[in-house]
Amino acid sequence: MTPRLEVRGLSKAFLGAQALKDVSFSLEAGQVLALIGENGAGKSTLIRILSGAHGPDQGEILIDGNPVHIDGPGASEALGIATVYQELNLFPDLTVAENLVFNHFPGGTVINWNQARRESRAFLTELGLTLDVDRRVRQLSVAEKQMLEIAKALRRKAQLLILDEPTAVLGGADVDQLLDLVRGLRSHGVSIIFVSHRLEEVFGLADTYVVLKDGELTGTGRISDTDHDDLVSKMVGREFVRGVRSVNRELGAPVLEVEHLTRIGVLEDVSFTVRAGEVVGVAGLRGAGRTELARAIYGADPVTSGHVRLHGKPLDARNPIQAIGAGVGLVPEERKTQGLFTALSSVHNTALVGMVKRRRRWVNPSKDLAMTRDYIRRLRIKAPSALAPVAVLSGGNQQKVVLAKWLEAGVDLLILDEPTRGIDIGAKQEIYELIEELGRQGKALLIISSELPEVLALSHRVLVMYHGRIAAELDGDRTTEEEIMFHAVGGRTA
Amino acid sequence: MNSPVRASAPSVWSTRLRANWLPIALLVAILVVVVLAVPSFFQSANLLNVGRQSAIVGVIAIGMTFVILTGGIDLSVGSILALSGVTTAMLINSGMTIGLAAFLALLVGVALGVLNGLGVAVLKIQPFIMTLATMVAIQGLSLRVTDGGPQQFDNSNSFFTVMGSGNVLGVPGPFLIFLVISVLGVLVLRYLPFGRFVYAIGGSLEAARLSGVRTGRTVVLAYAVSGLCAALAGVMTASRLGVGDPIAGSLSNLDAITAVVIGGTSLMGGIGGAVGTVFGALMLAVLSNLMNLIGISPFDQQIVKGAVIVIAVLIAAETTRRRFRTRRPDATRVPATATHAPLDPTLTSSAR
């Protein structure tokens, strides 16, 4: 039997970085293929090539045995491929029916809305979904939106459905409902590529699997021929040279103490401490509550219960101002919208927090300029000028400006959320050295990262989060990527 | 590529000149055309007239600059102008001294600005809607307290007259006020943390919040500045006309926004400044004056003005785009090893 999809020798490079290297696999009609790998392993690139967002550098794609060129989203759709991304493409203020028929309106020139609603209702019922076609999408739960997105894809007669981490943001019962929907589609002959980090789902659903690591295929086969440990080692099994952490640093008194921090539905009974000079890594999958933990400590989001202490004194910041005043800094995940003012200069960006913290009455532009030029020199920030908008800097240099901002303000505890995401390797190394340097100065550091090598290279201890809880606290010297990943995907210790 | 900073870092002034070159260039271009075509423009009487004409819109526009820099808009300035003038006139007529009456009128402007700010910052009403509502309501308030008629008042106080129509050392009083307000506006935006916060909020409200900026307070204050400037323009208008007119300045909100935008401030917030606004206001006044001198009909003048706005904004957009497309000394093209040298050890000096 000819496979529905066959991929042969697919390669793709971005700016010299090899995102996919010679990847080949196939998918039969009416089967579910689990696509797994760490963040940055090449899953997204593969999906984007199949959905027409990127062209491959090399390799062939065959649909039902015929070689095809997917040179745009339209071409992908015409081939019967539909992709449901994590960021949903729905119109929040339109109704379910309006979203479902969008761009394929019934009734010719003038849209026949009665027919649209009737057809929508019938179509959803056929899929076994109970969604009110007149509800606005904004009012739907995340799970319902996800199902609507899938329904939308299927209405376009998709024969190959790609689901990009559809369960990452869903809770237990919603996940089950979504998995049931996927099983129903499979029995109707739809082929599905299912991206998930949660291995228990993979074992409960998929027929075959493909594991990518650093753009290369490290394993493929029938799911019944593998097990949990085998998949984890294929995901992370790489040589890694230990990083810059000085092993025998003497740690000081506790700086941050988090006690039973809870935010309903987001964080559950989180407790840990970070000592002076200590680097604590927070690992876990997207949606596990890592960013939410950082924001709760920082006072950016409210908490339901629990306490945060800094130097033994209650902090419990209700807004960032209190946290900053107490000596906490946050390098946020979204650098361009939360960490920086991209339209403003390095000077303006670097001086702002210190200005707030010291309650300065006046701005001294020439002093700020000198101070910023000093940081530009010391942190080796590559900028055309201290007065140029930071939008013109590269990601790594922008991140250094964010760090300069906190160095200038002075912090005892610095929380870094994905500090090196989207940053080139050279700047990455420099940021690691800076983190290490801050540790030597006796700062407490909490580092959230999806990159396990980064977590291992920097951390004295590693907290692994799963579903808003701390699933494991591991020794940074002894733990391994496999062990972290085991806890991050919800593995249970025997 | 060894030196992270260019050997000759540009001075603050050259950078500022580059940021504001557009309105300055346009003004110069218009002036050059004028020298050739309409020599009478440069008679001192006419120049002073231009200064006078630019003043009232200019004062409002400086306040408007603060609001627009936060990413907001203030449509209510024309109504505040009218109410302020009416307040001044009626308080004078009730026997109050001119100084006190004008002061209270300014307080009314501040209060209404605070109201706008609270609506935007606390109730989270979109600035356009909030100030549209206050624009309508304040206009109604002026008409109600005056029964719709202009309020005459005794305008014989020489000091007060200067604010609207008199001269000081040969320079029109209103133009002097405009200059003083402009300088204050520039200084506040540049030398007070409040000014920095205004830019920060326009750049990204969330980033400002995470940086510890008291965003609500800053927004309220920005609208208060706008209300104060509008009220000051109202007092100036009353002084000039000798009446408090409840329908004065009804289109001055649009003129002020035009001046700000021609001056290169982005309606999205975070980019621009008061210097540009000064030139924007001057340019609008020069343009009207010129067209009057040449004898272009008022109807045609509006058409020309519309065209000038579009051209000015297109050029402003291009300037901004260029400023954000500076060459990137990007590390991605440098071999990774080149950046692996240790960071400057002086980083530690502060801690030891």
Side-chain angles (χ1 to χ4, degrees):
Chain A
M1 189 174 143
T2 325
R4 168 70 42 77
L5 168 74
E6 193 175 353
V7 169
R8 288 184 192 155
L10 213 57
S11 292
K12 176 78 185 173
F14 293 104
L15 299 164
Q18 198 72 31
L20 275 186
K21 255 177 277 179
D22 195 19
V23 171
S24 306
F25 65 91
S26 63
L27 171 60
E28 305 288 334
Q31 294 219 321
V32 176
L33 178 133
L35 177 59
I36 48 188
E38 287 182 291
N39 295 339
K43 296 173 306 209
S44 305
T45 308
L46 179 59
I47 292 172
R48 292 217 180 92
I49 290 174
L50 291 175
S51 60
H54 297 314
D57 295 341
Q58 275 168 21
E60 264 192 307
I61 299 168
L62 291 87
I63 301 278
D64 298 324
N66 306 313
V68 294
H69 288 282
I70 309 174
D71 50 11
S76 174
E77 194 184 320
L79 290 166
I81 303 173
T83 309
V84 178
Y85 290 102
Q86 266 192 307
E87 304 82 32
L88 300 175
N89 285 313
L90 296 169
F91 302 103
D93 292 309
L94 299 186
T95 64
V96 169
E98 285 166 338
N99 269 284
L100 202 52
V101 300
F102 194 82
N103 243 340
H104 298 262
F105 298 108
T109 328
V110 177
I111 301 170
N112 183 340
W113 283 115
N114 280 329
Q115 193 189 338
R117 293 174 59 240
R118 234 179 7 253
E119 281 182 10
S120 299
R121 203 174 291 130
F123 187 69
L124 290 173
T125 314
E126 199 184 322
L127 290 175
L129 297 176
T130 46
L131 281 177
D132 179 355
V133 294
D134 292 323
R135 273 176 80 195
R136 297 204 180 273
V137 165
R138 196 181 285 287
Q139 298 163 339
L140 302 181
S141 72
V142 181
E144 288 173 324
K145 286 180 194 165
Q146 199 105 43
M147 311 238 193
L148 175 58
E149 185 83 277
I150 293 173
K152 210 174 104 184
L154 293 172
R155 193 164 176 278
R156 295 174 192 172
K157 308 272 183 286
Q159 288 303 304
L160 173 60
L161 184 64
I162 304 172
L163 302 174
D164 187 7
E165 290 197 51
T167 56
V169 287
L170 300 184
D174 291 338
V175 172
D176 293 342
Q177 204 188 346
L178 189 109
L179 297 185
D180 283 344
L181 174 61
V182 173
R183 286 189 195 101
L185 297 176
R186 169 170 60 187
S187 63
H188 281 90
V190 178
S191 302
I192 293 147
I193 295 180
F194 185 86
V195 180
S196 176
H197 276 304
R198 298 186 185 173
L199 295 187
E200 76 238 53
E201 285 167 16
V202 168
F203 283 103
L205 179 71
D207 303 297
T208 56
Y209 68 90
V210 162
V211 186
L212 295 180
K213 182 193 62 111
D214 299 335
E216 287 183 78
L217 186 91
T218 52
T220 180
R222 300 199 62 79
I223 207 86
S224 50
D225 299 339
T226 182
D227 59 27
H228 190 284
D229 286 353
D230 180 44
L231 285 186
V232 167
S233 75
K234 282 174 172 143
M235 281 164 77
V236 298
R238 91 182 77 179
E239 305 298 319
F240 184 71
V241 185
R242 287 260 158 169
V244 292
R245 178 163 41 92
S246 53
V247 183
N248 293 321
R249 184 193 299 156
E250 280 182 30
L251 303 180
V255 174
L256 173 73
E257 292 164 89
V258 175
E259 294 159 4
H260 308 296
L261 204 63
T262 298
R263 183 178 172 206
I264 300 280
V266 181
L267 296 172
E268 224 174 302
D269 195 22
V270 174
S271 301
F272 64 94
T273 54
V274 185
R275 297 163 69 183
E278 188 177 29
V279 181
V280 173
V282 182
L285 302 175
R286 217 178 311 172
R290 299 169 304 165
T291 297
E292 291 75 9
L293 173 63
R295 289 177 60 93
I297 295 169
Y298 191 64
D301 290 336
V303 296
T304 316
S305 63
H307 290 287
V308 176
R309 291 169 187 280
L310 204 70
H311 293 303
K313 282 179 283 182
L315 171 62
D316 296 331
R318 283 185 318 267
N319 55 49
I321 302 164
Q322 293 175 343
I324 292 168
V328 183
L330 173 69
V331 176
E333 185 181 14
E334 302 294 332
R335 184 166 56 240
K336 284 178 182 158
T337 54
Q338 301 186 345
L340 287 171
F341 308 97
T342 51
L344 304 181
S345 67
S346 303
V347 179
H348 202 144
N349 273 287
T350 309
L352 196 83
V353 177
M355 202 178 284
V356 172
K357 191 174 176 186
R358 298 190 196 103
R359 297 165 184 267
R360 269 163 62 180
R361 289 168 167 276
W362 308 101
V363 181
N364 186 336
S366 56
K367 209 172 132 194
D368 286 347
L369 181 63
M371 176 271 293
T372 306
R373 286 195 173 140
D374 197 37
Y375 279 110
I376 286 178
R377 186 178 56 76
R378 278 157 52 182
L379 305 188
R380 299 156 51 84
I381 300 172
K382 295 184 188 69
S385 148
L387 297 161
V390 294
V392 306
L393 308 188
S394 70
N397 288 301
Q398 287 182 345
Q399 192 70 306
K400 288 185 194 172
V401 172
V402 179
L403 288 167
K405 170 172 96 175
W406 289 112
L407 294 178
E408 207 280 318
V411 287
D412 296 332
L413 166 70
L414 189 59
I415 306 171
L416 300 105
D417 193 353
E418 301 287 1
T420 62
R421 176 181 291 173
I423 287 177
D424 64 275
I425 186 96
K428 220 173 194 173
Q429 192 66 35
E430 292 186 331
I431 285 170
Y432 292 163
E433 285 169 28
L434 206 56
I435 289 169
E436 178 55 24
E437 177 55 44
L438 288 170
R440 268 200 293 275
Q441 291 179 19
K443 316 282 189 211
L445 293 142
L446 190 64
I447 296 177
I448 297 166
S449 176
S450 297
E451 290 183 40
L452 295 183
E454 179 169 299
V455 171
L456 285 173
L458 296 169
S459 314
H460 293 94
R461 276 186 298 136
V462 180
L463 308 174
V464 187
M465 292 192 74
Y466 180 72
H467 273 302
R469 292 176 168 277
I470 293 188
E473 184 172 333
L474 307 169
D475 182 335
D477 287 330
R478 283 191 221 114
T479 188
T480 58
E481 290 188 38
E482 285 82 356
E483 191 182 14
I484 295 174
M485 191 52 86
F486 176 79
H487 292 289
V489 294
R492 279 164 206 90
T493 31
Chain B
M1 273 306 206
N2 282 334
S3 162
V5 192
R6 262 197 328 188
S8 59
S11 82
V12 180
W13 285 109
S14 74
T15 305
R16 278 186 197 145
L17 189 67
R18 249 185 301 152
N20 290 311
W21 74 269
L22 160 86
I24 297 172
L26 270 181
L27 194 62
V28 170
I30 290 175
L31 290 180
V32 168
V33 173
V34 172
V35 174
L36 302 173
V38 200
S40 63
F41 178 82
F42 282 98
Q43 286 165 5
S44 63
N46 186 58
L47 283 181
L48 295 179
N49 203 21
V50 171
R52 197 188 310 277
Q53 283 172 352
S54 68
I56 286 176
V57 166
V59 167
I60 302 173
I62 294 293
M64 181 76 76
T65 306
F66 282 75
V67 170
I68 291 182
L69 280 174
T70 65
I73 193 102
D74 188 352
L75 298 178
S76 69
V77 286
S79 298
I80 294 178
L81 180 152
L83 183 64
S84 157
V86 166
T87 306
T88 310
M90 293 181 76
L91 288 178
I92 290 172
N93 287 342
S94 75
M96 205 176 271
T97 64
I98 285 181
L100 188 58
F103 178 71
L104 290 176
L106 296 186
L107 276 192
V108 168
V110 171
L112 293 171
V114 168
L115 181 69
N116 281 332
L118 290 175
V120 171
V122 179
L123 302 180
K124 313 278 183 214
I125 301 173
Q126 284 176 355
F128 187 96
I129 302 299
M130 182 65 204
T131 60
L132 181 71
T134 51
M135 174 184 91
V136 174
I138 296 167
Q139 176 80 263
L141 189 61
S142 300
L143 290 167
R144 186 175 192 281
V145 296
T146 59
D147 265 337
Q151 302 294 300
Q152 298 239 326
F153 63 98
D154 174 17
N155 194 19
S156 58
N157 180 310
S158 60
F159 179 74
F160 186 68
T161 329
V162 165
M163 291 187 74
S165 49
N167 290 327
V168 178
L169 302 171
V171 181
F175 186 63
L176 279 180
I177 294 177
F178 174 34
L179 285 186
V180 169
I181 293 295
S182 301
V183 170
L184 283 177
V186 171
L187 292 181
V188 167
L189 284 176
R190 198 165 291 162
Y191 293 102
L192 288 190
F194 163 63
R196 307 277 85 185
F197 298 162
V198 162
Y199 279 94
I201 287 173
S204 165
L205 187 64
E206 178 65 2
R209 200 171 79 88
L210 290 178
S211 297
V213 174
R214 289 178 161 81
T215 50
R217 188 188 291 185
T218 307
V219 167
V220 169
L221 212 50
Y223 282 88
V225 168
S226 179
L228 174 65
C229 288
L232 178 60
V235 173
M236 291 159 69
T237 307
S239 153
R240 179 172 170 183
L241 301 176
V243 293
D245 184 352
I247 56 166
S250 53
L251 284 180
S252 58
N253 53 0
L254 300 184
D255 286 338
I257 293 168
T258 307
V260 174
V261 169
I262 290 183
T265 296
S266 160
L267 279 183
M268 306 298 290
I271 300 173
V275 176
T277 299
V278 173
F279 284 101
L282 286 176
M283 220 184 73
L284 280 183
V286 166
L287 194 66
S288 322
N289 177 270
L290 270 180
M291 292 192 291
N292 282 333
L293 290 182
I294 301 172
I296 296 176
S297 88
F299 306 142
D300 293 343
Q301 287 197 13
Q302 289 202 345
I303 298 171
V304 173
K305 217 162 137 183
V308 167
I309 293 172
V310 171
I311 293 167
V313 170
L314 282 179
I315 301 177
E318 180 57 29
T319 321
T320 309
R321 212 171 297 139
R322 262 195 223 159
R323 193 162 161 258
F324 282 79
R325 212 197 300 130
T326 335
R327 61 209 167 72
R328 301 164 56 136
D330 199 336
T332 48
R333 272 173 288 129
V334 184
T337 47
T339 56
H340 270 215
L343 294 165
D344 188 331
T346 54
L347 188 65
T348 56
S349 61
S350 58
R352 284 182 185 161

